[in-house]
Amino acid sequence: MSEWLESAITRAQGIHDWLAPKRAHALDLLAKTKWPTRKTEAWRYTPLRPVERTPAKMISDKVDLSPVAIADLSAIELVFVNGQFDPAQLANTLPEGLSIALGGDLESAQQADALNTFSTIKPERHIFGLVNDALAQDVVVVSVAEGVEIIQPIRISSLLSPGAESHTRVQVSLAAGSRLTVIEDVQAQGDSFNTAFVEYNVGTNARLEHYRFALQTGSNVAIGGSHFNLHDHAKMNSTIVGFGSELSRLDTDIIHAGEFADAKLNAMYLLDGKELFDLHATVEHAMPNGKTEENVRCIVADRSRAVFNGRIHIHRDAQKTLAELNNRNLLLSDKAEINTKPELEIYADDVKCAHGATVAQIDKQALYYLQTRGVSRSKAQVMLNFGFINELIDLMPNAALAEWIRPIIRERFAQMEVK
Amino acid sequence: MSNTNSLLTIKDLHASVEEKQIIKGLDLDIKPGEVHAIMGPNGAGKSTLGYVLSGRDGYSVESGSVTLGGEDLLEMETEDRARAGLFLAFQYPVEIPGVSNLEFLKASVDAQREARGEDAITSADFLKEAKAACKQVNLPVAFLKRGVNEGFSGGEKKRNELMQMLLLKPKLCILDETDSGLDIDALQVVAEGVNSQRSADRSFIVVTHYQRLLDYIKPDFVHVLSDGKIVKSGDASLALELEAQGYAWLQKEPTEDELEG
């Protein structure tokens, strides 16, 4: 076990609150977990040295930080600063049918519910998920009442000062027939360390629109997960945008716990310098008639490294499942690295499951077409490479977010191309 | 044969694709403002000619020469040929998801203006021009926002090609089987667009298998391409003759002298 983990466990043992049984369980599991090495499959391409030597520390003094404004987006802001929930940034009045509260402040019946679902959607195999179970101080619980549609998106921001350590956790529950949009964002300022996990319980016929922006770069260590449990006829549409950092690791789990659930996941990442971004996406089709569509696209420049592990597990009873996984990667430099692994495990016999992973150069026909119009080869290459990512931006359901992120990605892309 | 007034002069062109010879000694001379139709059976090398002239990868010229406005076309990169005034309207325009039609059109126009030493056009002015061009080719303005040709029908793709031509104002347009896959209404729209662009300083090569398109775009000259060479040339009436006869007579491999005699 690493020194870092030992000290984390020691610190966690000092926390005594409503989550005590769950935290104790996580600590038990952590004590039995081997610190991942290159031989640990889930961490094979993502060495944990940056965690072991992180200078980041918990900062308990109050720091004033607020999330960046996004034009044309009016969100309900749920803000953590250096791991602490900042209630002052939350609107005084919330739309009817929506509740956002610290788990510790809930009434006993609701608190018991929250305790019961805590860490049941996020699988126990995520070692930093367990760390987060044990160390996330302010656990915020978001719930939408049955049949209620919340028009305003909720933005969960985890903001970090330079050198700060933070562990944030949100539990989101959509009751039957409800609708909600949630944006997860981490904004860190260097040498920071954070784990940010959110669990979503999406009720029967409920609709979740989800975004996760992992745009921290540089010397930050950012580890987190978004985990979804889908009941009958639930629908989710998730978009992940990632830039790399010294170590960025994201785990998503989509669990089809009900029939006729429908999940879409579009993920794009653009890496530069010596950055690393690792996405592990797992889909569990436990019940019949589910549908999953995953599109993961990645562009790597310079000496950056991308990891994608896309697992689809179709259980024996999950007949009539339709699952598609498409992973396309572009290399802009011969020193950059892409490690992609689709993993399909299918135990039902009447399913459609397709997957493809490519690491490629750009489409020659399209390049020629642009050139015949007078566009130079180099400019055409930039247009096509950006188009490769832009296609997924076009699919983002929220126009304000798409128009906000598009120039940010374009800018980053331009920097990547310059080298 | 060399004529200083010529816009395009092709002399004894031999070209191959993937080691296979397709163009086998082709000569063609086009003056500004002329419309030349090139007809011929499938496999004669009609599309290859457009690809060779535009400089597509994999199409190599073995011998012969091509000049556009007196400049050696074969020495130029594909984009420089376009900037020199060559425009190829594709038989199968390429779909480019993720690159918007407007961005594509603006990049094309910008590149050509820059090459001519003209100032860049502002985005607002360009949008106006592009909208007007949309209207002229009967495409909804919303198509500017969509990915290049993405999910367009056959007719919409051809009209999008035409729109590019309107905006780029080339000197020489090669229309490669522009009529394929078009119904009669779409054909008329495209033909009207082409006719509106005919002028004393713009020439056209209309490549087609059928005479039908030439009812709408009246050519000054008609050439029959067979097995990589022009085997017969004439005026517009030759197209009607071909329509009546078909291309079967070409199989007999008559000599050029017999045909021209």
Side-chain angles (χ1 to χ4, degrees):
Chain A
M1 188 178 292
S2 79
E3 268 178 49
W4 182 88
L5 185 57
E6 273 177 50
S7 92
I9 290 175
T10 310
R11 278 186 280 144
Q13 282 161 343
I15 304 175
H16 303 284
D17 63 1
W18 65 286
L19 283 166
K22 297 281 186 172
R23 297 198 196 272
H25 179 65
L27 287 172
D28 266 0
L29 290 172
L30 275 177
K32 290 178 207 148
T33 304
K34 252 186 83 195
W35 186 245
T37 64
R38 284 209 167 258
K39 289 186 184 140
T40 313
E41 188 57 29
W43 294 90
R44 196 166 158 194
Y45 303 103
T46 305
L48 283 174
R49 283 188 306 275
V51 173
E52 290 159 30
R53 59 174 187 232
T54 176
K57 296 253 169 348
M58 300 297 289
I59 296 176
S60 49
D61 295 345
K62 175 116 175 63
V63 180
D64 278 334
L65 287 176
S66 48
V68 294
I70 297 178
D72 299 324
L73 183 84
S74 143
I76 298 165
E77 304 286 355
L78 197 169
V79 181
F80 294 94
V81 179
N82 294 332
Q84 294 172 51
F85 175 57
D86 183 359
Q89 299 199 45
L90 184 68
N92 286 327
T93 42
L94 294 176
E96 201 163 327
L98 173 68
S99 109
I100 299 178
L102 276 169
D105 295 342
L106 291 172
E107 286 168 30
S108 60
Q110 291 163 304
Q111 195 178 71
D113 280 350
L115 179 65
N116 278 334
T117 48
F118 184 86
S119 209
T120 55
I121 299 168
K122 175 179 67 61
E124 289 180 340
R125 66 173 185 279
H126 301 314
I127 180 168
F128 289 94
L130 298 173
V131 167
N132 187 278
D133 283 358
L135 273 179
Q137 272 185 331
D138 292 345
V139 174
V140 175
V141 177
V142 175
S143 12
V144 188
E146 189 171 336
V148 172
E149 177 176 3
I150 305 296
I151 306 283
Q152 253 186 308
I154 294 176
R155 175 162 65 155
I156 304 169
S157 300
S158 191
L159 312 178
L160 286 98
S161 317
E165 176 180 340
S166 126
H167 304 279
T168 57
R169 181 63 164 270
V170 179
Q171 299 290 117
V172 179
S173 145
L174 283 78
S178 65
R179 284 173 180 234
L180 182 67
T181 299
V182 179
I183 303 156
E184 295 178 51
D185 190 17
V186 174
Q187 289 159 29
Q189 298 181 44
D191 288 335
S192 73
F193 177 92
N194 82 80
T195 70
F197 286 83
V198 182
E199 291 182 277
Y200 295 87
N201 200 16
V202 187
T204 303
N205 272 315
R207 305 269 182 278
L208 172 68
E209 192 180 312
H210 171 260
Y211 301 88
R212 183 154 185 154
F213 297 110
L215 309 180
Q216 60 282 347
T217 54
S219 57
N220 293 293
V221 174
I223 301 177
S226 301
H227 312 277
F228 309 90
N229 193 49
L230 307 178
H231 294 266
D232 286 347
H233 296 277
K235 255 189 174 181
M236 64 166 281
N237 184 324
S238 173
T239 305
I240 295 170
V241 183
F243 298 167
S245 70
E246 185 158 23
L247 195 174
S248 285
R249 165 68 177 247
L250 190 57
D251 284 273
T252 66
D253 291 273
I254 296 171
I255 301 155
H256 288 255
E259 287 195 49
F260 296 101
D262 184 331
K264 276 196 177 66
L265 174 66
N266 290 322
M268 57 202 107
Y269 38 120
L270 297 96
L271 314 185
D272 198 7
K274 286 162 79 175
E275 293 167 358
L276 179 144
F277 191 99
D278 177 348
L279 174 65
H280 271 59
T282 298
V283 182
E284 297 284 349
H285 278 276
M287 295 290 279
N289 297 305
K291 204 176 149 192
T292 299
E293 202 186 311
E294 273 182 87
N295 274 300
V296 178
R297 293 194 181 178
C298 168
I299 301 185
V300 286
D302 205 4
R303 283 179 290 165
S304 61
R305 283 180 301 144
V307 183
F308 173 65
N309 193 100
R311 179 175 147 86
I312 297 179
H313 180 188
I314 303 179
H315 297 237
R316 207 179 57 187
D317 295 334
Q319 298 294 2
K320 306 278 181 199
T321 292
L322 296 176
E324 243 179 82
L325 166 60
N326 190 301
N327 173 226
R328 288 168 62 188
N329 301 281
L330 272 180
L331 283 160
L332 298 187
S333 127
D334 48 13
K335 292 211 175 73
E337 196 177 303
I338 287 162
N339 299 285
T340 172
K341 189 169 94 180
E343 255 183 74
L344 307 183
E345 249 181 82
I346 303 172
Y347 298 102
D349 52 13
D350 185 15
V351 301
K352 271 190 194 154
C353 186
H355 75 91
T358 58
V359 177
Q361 320 286 326
I362 50 180
D363 181 348
K364 282 202 171 121
Q365 258 209 325
L367 192 64
Y368 165 64
Y369 188 65
L370 290 175
Q371 284 180 279
T372 63
R373 299 312 183 238
V375 180
S376 71
R377 195 179 176 88
S378 56
K379 165 95 198 221
Q381 266 165 343
V382 174
M383 284 173 75
L384 293 173
N385 285 345
F386 182 73
F388 175 76
I389 291 291
N390 200 33
E391 235 184 301
L392 294 187
I393 302 176
D394 283 342
L395 293 176
M396 286 170 64
N398 186 302
L401 284 176
E403 292 328 308
W404 167 71
I405 199 75
R406 202 188 309 273
I408 294 176
I409 291 180
R410 199 185 277 279
E411 168 74 8
R412 175 159 181 91
F413 187 67
Q415 286 167 2
M416 288 165 66
E417 284 280 338
V418 169
K419 286 175 193 135
Chain B
M1 285 272 285
S2 175
N3 192 325
T4 46
N5 295 329
S6 295
L7 175 65
L8 180 81
T9 305
I10 303 176
K11 280 188 190 162
D12 198 25
L13 184 69
H14 288 74
S16 64
V17 53
E18 286 166 0
E19 317 265 302
K20 193 177 176 228
Q21 228 192 23
I22 308 282
I23 305 287
K24 303 171 182 173
L26 187 140
D27 292 281
L28 188 64
D29 193 81
I30 297 179
K31 294 190 177 53
E34 290 178 351
V35 175
H36 290 243
I38 294 188
M39 302 182 70
N42 291 326
K46 299 194 300 289
S47 288
T48 300
L49 180 62
Y51 293 146
V52 169
L53 293 180
S54 66
R56 184 171 192 163
D57 272 355
Y59 288 74
S60 51
V61 172
E62 275 130 13
S63 62
S65 69
V66 181
T67 58
L68 181 71
E71 302 221 23
D72 186 350
L73 193 72
L74 302 178
E75 281 299 304
M76 297 181 201
E77 294 294 328
T78 296
E79 56 264 39
D80 294 323
R81 298 179 192 204
R83 293 166 187 180
L86 182 77
F87 180 87
L88 172 64
F90 281 59
Q91 181 178 7
Y92 302 109
V94 182
E95 295 197 17
I96 313 178
V99 176
S100 84
N101 218 4
L102 186 69
E103 183 192 357
F104 161 66
L105 293 166
K106 174 101 171 33
S108 306
V109 169
D110 281 351
Q112 301 212 8
R113 288 179 75 105
E114 198 189 320
R116 290 194 297 261
E118 296 168 15
D119 288 341
I121 185 167
T122 66
S123 295
D125 286 346
F126 182 73
L127 186 61
K128 249 185 248 165
E129 271 192 38
K131 281 182 175 170
C134 257
K135 231 174 236 163
Q136 199 179 336
V137 302
N138 208 6
L139 272 182
V141 171
F143 276 58
L144 291 173
K145 281 201 164 178
R146 286 171 57 175
V148 177
N149 293 319
E150 188 184 4
F152 291 18
S153 71
E156 287 162 351
K157 282 180 182 166
K158 297 292 166 75
R159 280 182 271 160
N160 203 30
E161 295 290 285
L162 182 59
M163 177 158 72
Q164 292 161 40
M165 193 175 96
L166 298 182
L167 291 168
L168 292 171
K169 305 180 177 68
K171 288 188 192 128
L172 175 66
C173 307
I174 304 169
L175 310 181
D176 186 11
E177 309 252 4
T178 290
D179 49 335
S180 73
L182 293 191
D183 61 31
I184 206 76
D185 293 334
L187 188 71
Q188 275 179 352
V189 170
V190 170
E192 276 166 26
V194 169
N195 288 330
S196 77
Q197 294 303 296
R198 288 179 74 156
S199 76
D201 52 6
R202 182 169 296 131
S203 311
F204 289 84
I205 297 176
V206 182
V207 174
T208 182
H209 187 80
Y210 302 104
Q211 193 269 336
R212 189 177 70 154
L213 180 64
L214 304 179
D215 286 341
Y216 299 97
I217 303 173
K218 295 272 183 236
D220 300 306
F221 300 93
V222 174
H223 309 278
V224 180
L225 186 69
S226 176
D227 195 28
K229 306 187 248 225
I230 287 173
V231 294
K232 189 168 188 175
S233 297
D235 60 16
S237 64
L238 176 58
L240 294 167
E241 232 174 89
L242 288 171
E243 180 77 354
Q245 283 187 330
Y247 294 112
W249 57 276
L250 288 168
Q251 308 304 324
K252 287 180 247 154
E253 292 284 324
T255 65
E256 279 187 56
D257 290 341
E258 275 173 8
L259 283 160
E260 280 167 11

